Coordinates of all heavy atoms in Angstrom, one line a residue:
W584 N 14.6 -3.5 46.4 CA 14.2 -4.7 47.2 C 13.2 -5.5 46.5 O 13.2 -6.8 46.4 CB 13.6 -4.2 48.6 CG 12.9 -5.3 49.3 CD1 13.4 -6.3 50.1 CD2 11.5 -5.7 49.2 NE1 12.5 -7.2 50.6 CE2 11.3 -6.8 50.0 CE3 10.4 -5.1 48.5 CZ2 10.0 -7.4 50.2 CZ3 9.1 -5.7 48.7 CH2 9.0 -6.8 49.5
L585 N 12.2 -4.9 45.8 CA 11.1 -5.6 45.1 C 11.7 -6.3 43.9 O 11.4 -7.5 43.7 CB 10.1 -4.5 44.6 CG 9.0 -5.1 43.7 CD1 8.1 -6.0 44.5 CD2 8.2 -4.0 43.1
M586 N 12.7 -5.7 43.2 CA 13.3 -6.4 42.1 C 14.0 -7.6 42.5 O 13.8 -8.7 41.9 CB 14.3 -5.4 41.4 CG 15.0 -5.9 40.1 SD 13.9 -5.9 38.7 CE 13.7 -7.6 38.4
R587 N 14.8 -7.5 43.5 CA 15.6 -8.7 44.0 C 14.6 -9.8 44.6 O 14.9 -11.0 44.4 CB 16.6 -8.2 45.1 CG 17.7 -7.4 44.5 CD 18.6 -6.8 45.7 NE 19.7 -6.1 45.1 CZ 20.7 -5.5 45.9 NH1 20.6 -5.6 47.2 NH2 21.7 -4.9 45.3
N588 N 13.6 -9.3 45.3 CA 12.7 -10.3 45.9 C 11.9 -11.1 44.8 O 11.7 -12.3 44.9 CB 11.7 -9.5 46.7 CG 10.9 -10.4 47.7 OD1 11.4 -11.2 48.4 ND2 9.6 -10.3 47.6
R589 N 11.5 -10.4 43.7 CA 10.8 -11.0 42.6 C 11.7 -12.0 41.9 O 11.3 -13.1 41.5 CB 10.2 -10.0 41.7 CG 9.1 -9.1 42.2 CD 7.8 -10.0 42.5 NE 7.3 -10.4 41.2 CZ 7.0 -11.7 40.9 NH1 7.1 -12.6 41.8 NH2 6.5 -12.0 39.7
L590 N 13.0 -11.6 41.7 CA 13.9 -12.5 41.0 C 14.1 -13.8 41.8 O 14.2 -14.9 41.3 CB 15.3 -11.8 40.8 CG 15.3 -10.8 39.7 CD1 16.6 -10.0 39.8 CD2 15.2 -11.4 38.4
Q591 N 14.2 -13.7 43.2 CA 14.3 -14.9 44.0 C 13.1 -15.7 44.0 O 13.1 -16.9 44.0 CB 14.7 -14.4 45.4 CG 16.1 -13.8 45.5 CD 16.4 -13.3 46.9 OE1 15.6 -13.4 47.8 NE2 17.6 -12.6 47.1
E592 N 11.9 -15.1 44.1 CA 10.6 -15.8 44.0 C 10.5 -16.6 42.8 O 10.0 -17.7 42.8 CB 9.5 -14.8 44.2 CG 9.3 -14.2 45.6 CD 8.2 -13.2 45.7 OE1 7.7 -12.8 44.6 OE2 7.8 -12.8 46.8
E593 N 10.9 -16.0 41.7 CA 10.7 -16.7 40.4 C 11.9 -17.5 40.0 O 12.0 -18.1 38.9 CB 10.4 -15.7 39.3 CG 9.2 -14.9 39.5 CD 7.9 -15.7 39.4 OE1 7.9 -16.7 38.6 OE2 7.0 -15.5 40.2
N594 N 12.9 -17.6 40.9 CA 14.2 -18.3 40.6 C 14.7 -17.8 39.2 O 15.2 -18.6 38.4 CB 14.0 -19.8 40.5 CG 15.3 -20.6 40.6 OD1 16.3 -20.1 41.0 ND2 15.3 -21.8 40.0
A595 N 14.7 -16.5 39.0 CA 15.1 -15.9 37.8 C 16.4 -15.1 38.0 O 16.9 -14.9 39.1 CB 14.0 -15.0 37.2
S596 N 16.9 -14.5 36.9 CA 18.1 -13.7 37.0 C 18.1 -12.7 35.8 O 17.4 -12.8 34.8 CB 19.4 -14.6 36.9 OG 19.4 -15.3 35.7
V597 N 19.0 -11.7 35.9 CA 19.3 -10.8 34.8 C 20.8 -10.8 34.6 O 21.5 -11.3 35.4 CB 18.8 -9.4 35.1 CG1 17.3 -9.3 35.2 CG2 19.4 -8.8 36.4
L598 N 21.2 -10.3 33.5 CA 22.6 -10.3 33.2 C 23.3 -9.1 33.9 O 22.8 -7.9 33.8 CB 22.9 -10.2 31.7 CG 22.4 -11.4 30.9 CD1 22.7 -11.2 29.4 CD2 23.0 -12.7 31.4
N599 N 24.4 -9.3 34.5 CA 25.1 -8.2 35.2 C 26.1 -7.5 34.2 O 26.1 -7.8 33.0 CB 25.9 -8.7 36.4 CG 27.0 -9.7 36.1 OD1 27.4 -9.9 34.9 ND2 27.5 -10.4 37.1
Q600 N 27.0 -6.7 34.7 CA 27.9 -5.9 33.8 C 28.8 -6.8 33.0 O 29.3 -6.5 32.0 CB 28.7 -4.9 34.6 CG 27.8 -3.8 35.2 CD 27.3 -4.1 36.6 OE1 27.0 -5.2 36.9 NE2 27.2 -3.1 37.4
K601 N 29.1 -8.0 33.6 CA 30.0 -9.0 32.9 C 29.2 -10.0 32.1 O 29.8 -11.0 31.7 CB 30.9 -9.6 33.9 CG 31.8 -8.7 34.7 CD 32.7 -9.4 35.7 CE 33.6 -8.4 36.4 NZ 34.5 -9.1 37.4
K602 N 28.0 -9.7 31.8 CA 27.1 -10.6 31.0 C 26.9 -12.0 31.7 O 26.6 -13.0 31.0 CB 27.7 -10.8 29.6 CG 28.0 -9.6 28.9 CD 26.7 -8.8 28.6 CE 27.1 -7.5 27.8 NZ 25.8 -6.7 27.6

Side-chain angles (χ1 to χ4, degrees):
W584 169 84
L585 177 65
M586 182 78 248
R587 293 175 174 180
N588 195 51
R589 291 292 296 130
L590 286 169
Q591 291 174 4
E592 287 176 350
E593 298 295 325
N594 194 26
S596 63
V597 295
L598 296 179
N599 65 15
Q600 292 91 327
K601 296 181 179 180
K602 306 297 182 183

